């Protein structure tokens, strides 16, 4: 903000304050200054909401101006949720998986044979999703080969990777897949 003095005597700013329900969302430089006739000075108000929604406060500039003391300014701003990525995993395409729940079955495969499943990673968030790696573990992890995908998925975008099942012996084989990403709520996605 710029304070100007269009009068013929020095304007003395004795302080700047704010109040109102959301005053804590607005940080004000408590400027104390003298402004010469025809001169000006600046101060800054910073808006930093701690929650989402419309925030309101009133700014008060105290001075020796007999007609406008204090000079009041309404402040408003809207807090939004920070941008964040949201991972989703589908298998098959269009069927959403739940982190840590359920099993993807590769079916019966003859020893020496292979069956593959393609997984789709989606990002329904508002920031880029960074896939930092895909790993698997468990007793039979060696039976499952996967692409160690490292990728960035834009908001609303998707990418795919494939897991191949090639058993070296007969019997049920189990492993767990882990998708590491920057999704704060589902890292890793298992």
């Amino acid at each position: 903000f710029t304070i100007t003095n269009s009068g013929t005597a020095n304007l003395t700013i004795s302080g700047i304050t704010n109040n109102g329900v959301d005053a804590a969302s607005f940080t004000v430089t408590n400027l104390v200054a003298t402004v010469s006739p025809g001169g000006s000075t600046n101060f800054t108000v910073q808006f930093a909401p701690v929650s989402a929604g419309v925030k309101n406060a009133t700014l008060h500039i105290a001075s020796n101006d007999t007609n406008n003391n204090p000079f009041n300014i309404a402040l408003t701003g809207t807090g939004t949720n920070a941008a964040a990525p949201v991972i989703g995993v589908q298998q098959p395409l269009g069927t959403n998986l739940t982190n840590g729940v359920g099993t993807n079955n590769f079916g019966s495969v003859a020893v020496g044979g292979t069956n593959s499943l393609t997984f789709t990673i989606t990002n329904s968030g508002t920031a880029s999703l960074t896939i930092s790696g895909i790993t698997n573990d468990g007793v039979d992890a060696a039976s499952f080969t996967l692409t160690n995908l490292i990728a960035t998925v834009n908001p609303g975008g998707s990418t795919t990777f494939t897991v191949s099942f090639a058993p070296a012996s007969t019997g049920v084989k189990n492993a767990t897949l882990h998708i590491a990403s920057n999704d704060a709520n589902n890292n890793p996605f298992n």
Side-chain angles (χ1 to χ4, degrees), residues 40-167:
S40 65
T41 188
N42 298 320
F43 70 96
T44 301
V45 178
Q46 182 178 12
F47 177 57
V50 295
S51 62
V54 175
K55 308 297 176 193
N56 296 297
T58 303
L59 187 71
H60 308 284
I61 304 171
S63 72
N64 63 339
D65 181 328
T66 56
N67 296 318
N68 290 299
N69 184 27
F71 190 99
N72 301 305
I73 302 170
L75 304 174
T76 189
T78 303
T80 59
N81 291 322
V86 177
I87 191 172
V89 181
Q90 299 177 355
Q91 203 304 302
L93 182 64
T95 302
N96 291 313
L97 303 179
T98 302
N99 189 4
V101 178
T103 300
N104 290 91
N105 192 333
F106 287 79
S108 296
V109 177
V111 173
T114 301
N115 189 21
S116 298
L117 295 178
T118 299
F119 293 79
T120 301
I121 297 174
T122 62
N123 179 7
S124 61
T126 56
S128 293
L129 173 70
T130 303
I131 306 300
S132 53
I134 301 175
T135 58
N136 68 331
D137 61 17
V139 175
D140 303 307
S143 296
F144 299 89
T145 306
L146 55 106
T147 306
N148 188 8
L149 176 71
I150 297 177
T152 299
V153 182
N154 292 324
S158 66
T159 189
T160 62
F161 68 96
T162 302
V163 178
S164 298
F165 173 55

